[in-house]
Amino acid sequence: MSVPATSPEAAREPEPVADPVVDDLRAFLDGSRAEVRDECRNLEPELFGTPPEPLDVDAHRARVRRQLARLAETPWPAGGFPVEQGGTARFADSVTALEMLGHADLSLLVKAGVQWGLFGGAVSLLGTDRHHALLPEIIAGRLLGCFAMTETGHGSDVQGLLTTATFDPATDEIVVHSPAPAARKDYIGGAAHDATVAAVFAQLIVDDENHGVHCVLVPIRDAAGRPEPGVTVSDCGPKLGLNGVDNGRLLFDHVRVPRTNLLGRYGDIDDDGRYRSPIASPGRRFFTMLGALIRGRISVGGAAGAAARSALALAVRYGDERTQFAKPNSDEEVRLLDYRTYQRRLLPRVAESYALAFAQSELVSAMDDVLSGRAATEQDQRQLEARAAGIKALMTWHATETIQECREACGGAGYMWANRLASLKADTDIFTTFEGDNTVLLQLVAKGLLGDYQETFGDLDTLGIIRFGARLATGTVLERSAMRGLAQKIIDATPGRPDEPPFTTRGAQLRLVREREEHLVETLAIRLRRVSESHADAFDAFNRCQDHLVETARAHIERVVLEAFAAAVETAPAGEARVLLDRLCDLHALSTIERHKAWYLEHDRMSPARTKALTARVNELCEQLRPDARRLVDAYGIPAAWLTTEMMSDHAAGYW
């Protein structure tokens, strides 16, 4: 008797047969944090996996609360905090664990990120010793909080927030107030139901002087769950996705809190009621405070990459088994992945997923160095912020586009909730605009490319950017990835011959990608100078170059990602896995160049004949990688229970 595809017996996928090449690829992808990844893979699938069917909002939120409580029992929340604050200072492990949750229920990822990354991170990194006493309760999940930054009228423009925090010397209190409807705190994860304390970002006013945006701890509900006096809480309700997160809205009507609730590491009010800050420049102080919270942005990018890998694993496996149309004069139907168009849709994205995974791993290591104090200069911090912003943008765009492509590649099956792609699509869509809107983030990256980031950090307003362009000649200070030196050696070792296409060697590929970035940076500087000379208004001059600015930043991060992949291949041990990685790196490099072949044609970097040869080579690589496509996605190491679907069941396979 056949078993219905929706039954547990049909949904349980058999354990894959051991494949040493897959094991080698997985070990290389896992890198130095393989132990953490394996521990995450062993989490209970019935609790941590995606719900087997759509849940209503209340049920999903209750499920995520249970997940969060279980996660609090693991070592990973404590890993995100210094030892002296009650943590274990395993920063990279903590972020890696959050990344792995991107394969599971993404509502939990966001909920955990708010609790320990944003709320806990604000207390840890912006607070002083008096606030750090709260951290053991925060780490254990007994004190639940939220991160109240975004307002109805201000999202990306954090410096323009309307909420005020006014010091009252008569009572030694800070009065938190929402002066207009546009000051309402919006989309705040945890605010609708669970959080009892909010880390509220507001304009700090002392003696009628505005000292800029600071963070204040404000109780928002009592032990019985009732809103505190003066606090208005409302529920955002159902969303496109992430309905296990209780997003809410907050309004404050002259809410009074003790002066000591100000998180005062970078700006505090002393016992005499005077404002004190170790950083004199308000602009520099603001960016330093935001820079301290970089871990959340890195976690979002990593989880988006994990979600994209889940989608690719499903679509590649589906394409490897599903058949459609028979060959002429044959009764044998063709597997979807044997079609060139199907290969073209998925395999370059598989290659990109590897490239981004290696770049993310390098970024997490850099973050660990900064947070642990091994990389302690201001330039280290600025470079980390710029790279985190850029990689988050590329990673989340990659997830959005890849999950959509995978959904289409699976046809109607991809539209069914039981096959996971629907939830992945809904839950990750917001990733491109939270923890920083991607287009805004790329503008921040580009600003850092226009001059010495350390020297100009305090002057990164519109007029300052125009001045960068005005004083920049032809040289630029480009932030380089940690693998920059190895990438340069690859280029130097493969100069290429005049009679060969300019993309056949790794060195030539790296050179082409780097040349595009450097040309865009230099011409952006020249364009800014020319526009500034003809336009007295600095904003207008900057606005006219905004498209160029964003494209420059994207080219920069594409180069960083490719160099990370190329360097990873160079360090891989010899064997079949390295051969596959090398071929996959070729596919990623050439797909990146092909995506911009109009630019290479316009700037006479490649001839029409060579761009045609480039496309032909991408096709060849897709064909060569086709037999190993399943291996490449199996190497992601996603637990079978987290990829359980109707379309991957034995019963469904019988119809293919």
Side-chain angles (χ1 to χ4, degrees):
M1 183 177 69
S2 64
V3 180
T6 53
S7 74
E9 289 79 7
R12 190 180 301 119
E13 185 177 347
E15 290 298 319
V17 178
D19 183 337
V21 175
V22 170
D23 293 342
D24 289 346
L25 287 170
R26 180 179 305 171
F28 202 61
L29 274 174
D30 285 354
S32 60
R33 285 169 284 279
E35 183 178 350
V36 175
R37 295 184 188 278
D38 282 340
E39 290 171 355
C40 290
R41 289 170 179 134
N42 290 325
L43 289 170
E44 307 94 302
E46 63 277 5
L47 177 60
F48 286 94
T50 299
E53 59 185 25
L55 302 175
D56 64 41
V57 169
D58 290 338
H60 201 168
R61 289 177 178 180
R63 185 175 192 267
V64 170
R65 283 195 290 275
R66 294 193 297 273
Q67 293 173 328
L68 192 75
R70 172 66 182 89
L71 200 62
E73 299 172 358
T74 71
W76 306 313
F81 299 90
V83 173
E84 62 273 17
Q85 296 178 9
T88 58
R90 297 176 61 184
F91 304 107
D93 287 357
S94 180
V95 169
T96 299
L98 281 177
E99 175 190 326
M100 290 297 292
L101 292 179
H103 293 303
D105 187 345
L106 285 155
S107 286
L108 172 61
L109 160 80
V110 173
K111 187 79 168 178
V114 168
Q115 171 66 14
W116 294 302
L118 294 177
F119 174 65
V123 174
S124 169
L125 297 168
L126 303 182
T128 58
D129 289 345
R130 64 175 178 262
H131 309 109
H132 296 161
L134 299 171
L135 287 172
E137 293 294 295
I138 293 172
I139 293 170
R142 291 187 290 269
L143 174 58
L144 297 179
C146 59
F147 187 82
M149 178 182 283
T150 298
E151 294 179 353
T152 303
H154 290 83
S156 297
D157 180 16
V158 179
Q159 281 183 294
L161 294 178
L162 297 178
T163 304
T164 57
T166 305
F167 175 60
D168 181 356
T171 61
D172 199 29
E173 292 175 314
I174 291 174
V175 183
V176 179
H177 183 59
S178 307
R184 182 184 66 183
K185 296 296 183 180
D186 261 349
Y187 324 127
I188 310 303
H193 187 277
D194 293 341
T196 58
V197 178
V200 179
F201 285 78
Q203 305 287 347
L204 180 65
I205 300 171
V206 182
D207 290 334
D208 296 324
E209 182 180 353
N210 189 341
H211 294 280
V213 174
H214 288 63
C215 187
V216 183
L217 295 181
V218 180
I220 60 172
R221 52 173 52 90
D222 61 23
R226 296 182 296 259
E228 292 283 1
V231 179
T232 299
V233 180
S234 56
D235 196 323
C236 291
K239 307 180 292 292
L240 175 65
L242 299 175
N243 282 308
V245 183
D246 54 323
N247 294 88
R249 302 182 175 101
L250 299 170
L251 277 167
F252 304 97
D253 183 7
H254 298 93
V255 177
R256 290 178 172 269
V257 298
R259 166 178 56 87
T260 52
N261 280 28
L262 174 65
L263 297 180
R265 177 178 178 182
Y266 297 109
D268 209 350
I269 303 171
D270 65 19
D271 292 340
D272 295 323
R274 292 173 297 187
Y275 179 79
R276 304 285 189 186
S277 175
I279 304 173
S281 166
R284 189 173 181 182
R285 183 167 59 242
F286 169 75
F287 282 106
T288 300
M289 283 193 284
L290 289 194
L293 303 172
I294 198 66
R295 193 169 63 208
R297 187 167 290 163
I298 294 173
S299 297
V300 166
R309 293 193 294 275
S310 291
L312 286 166
L314 291 169
V316 167
R317 292 175 181 183
Y318 181 80
D320 193 39
E321 297 182 16
R322 175 75 151 84
T323 60
Q324 184 109 285
F325 301 112
K327 296 179 181 179
N329 303 317
S330 171
D331 293 331
E332 181 184 357
E333 290 191 337
V334 179
R335 292 179 183 268
L336 293 180
L337 202 51
D338 289 334
Y339 288 107
R340 175 61 51 80
T341 52
Y342 208 93
Q343 296 168 10
R344 268 286 197 157
R345 296 169 75 180
L346 296 182
L347 295 183
R349 296 183 184 279
V350 171
E352 187 174 10
S353 74
Y354 271 73
L356 288 166
F358 288 126
Q360 174 75 5
S361 179
E362 185 183 324
L363 176 64
V364 170
S365 294
M367 178 210 70
D368 196 63
D369 288 340
V370 168
L371 294 179
S372 65
R374 291 188 296 272
T377 70
E378 188 172 294
Q379 187 172 10
D380 292 329
Q381 177 73 29
R382 300 291 82 80
Q383 289 184 351
L384 175 65
E385 291 165 9
R387 205 190 317 168
I391 289 178
K392 183 267 180 184
L394 259 63
M395 192 88 81
T396 54
W397 272 326
H398 165 72
T400 296
E401 295 162 4
T402 295
I403 293 169
Q404 175 63 24
E405 195 68 56
C406 291
R407 206 293 300 156
E408 293 182 24
C410 294
Y415 203 63
M416 299 296 101
W417 176 272
N419 290 328
R420 285 234 46 204
L421 292 167
S423 62
L424 288 171
K425 179 177 169 63
D427 287 345
T428 59
D429 193 74
I430 189 62
F431 283 22
T432 58
T433 52
F434 86 159
E435 282 300 315
D437 177 278
N438 285 356
T439 300
V440 175
L441 291 181
L442 288 186
Q443 292 179 63
L444 296 176
V445 173
K447 291 174 183 179
L449 297 175
L450 289 172
D452 185 346
Y453 210 13
Q454 184 177 7
E455 292 181 1
T456 58
F457 180 67
D459 193 26
L460 284 183
D461 56 9
T462 299
L463 182 58
I465 297 304
I466 297 297
R467 288 170 178 165
F468 292 164
R471 68 171 176 260
L472 192 64
T474 57
T476 57
V477 180
L478 296 178
E479 183 270 318
R480 302 297 186 183
S481 68
M483 295 297 188
R484 161 70 169 144
L486 185 51
Q488 185 61 51
K489 290 179 181 178
I490 296 171
I491 292 174
D492 294 341
T494 54
R497 299 191 309 272
D499 60 336
E500 67 182 4
F503 48 76
T504 54
T505 64
R506 185 63 40 74
Q509 296 161 5
L510 290 167
R511 191 182 301 111
L512 278 169
V513 172
R514 185 181 298 176
E515 284 175 358
R516 180 170 183 269
E517 174 198 7
E518 293 178 344
H519 179 89
L520 284 168
V521 174
E522 292 171 4
T523 54
L524 173 61
I526 293 169
R527 185 179 174 189
L528 280 168
R529 184 176 68 243
R530 289 175 179 171
V531 171
S532 65
E533 289 171 352
S534 59
H535 292 78
D537 181 76
F539 171 78
D540 186 53
F542 177 76
N543 197 41
R544 287 170 176 263
C545 299
Q546 205 168 32
D547 57 333
H548 195 156
L549 196 80
V550 170
E551 190 63 23
T552 299
R554 187 155 192 159
H556 166 68
I557 298 300
E558 285 175 345
R559 189 264 303 162
V560 169
V561 170
L562 176 57
E563 286 187 355
F565 197 173
V569 173
E570 288 297 306
T571 60
E576 191 175 350
R578 174 165 175 160
V579 172
L580 275 178
L581 281 174
D582 187 67
R583 190 171 292 159
L584 202 63
C585 188
D586 277 345
L587 179 57
H588 173 66
L590 298 186
S591 296
T592 300
I593 296 167
E594 185 186 36
R595 185 162 58 243
H596 303 299
K597 67 180 179 181
W599 185 92
Y600 288 101
L601 284 167
E602 285 178 352
H603 294 82
D604 293 325
R605 303 299 174 102
M606 294 176 69
S607 67
R610 285 187 168 176
T611 59
K612 290 179 182 178
L614 169 68
T615 296
R617 180 57 183 151
V618 171
N619 286 339
E620 290 173 4
L621 286 167
C622 287
E623 185 175 349
Q624 291 169 8
L625 286 165
R626 160 62 184 104
D628 296 294
R630 177 69 183 255
R631 280 174 150 181
L632 292 171
V633 297
D634 285 350
Y636 294 152
I638 306 169
W642 290 2
L643 289 178
T644 295
T645 64
E646 284 185 352
M647 67 182 184
M648 298 311 300
S649 70
D650 290 338
H651 176 71
Y655 288 101
W656 301 346

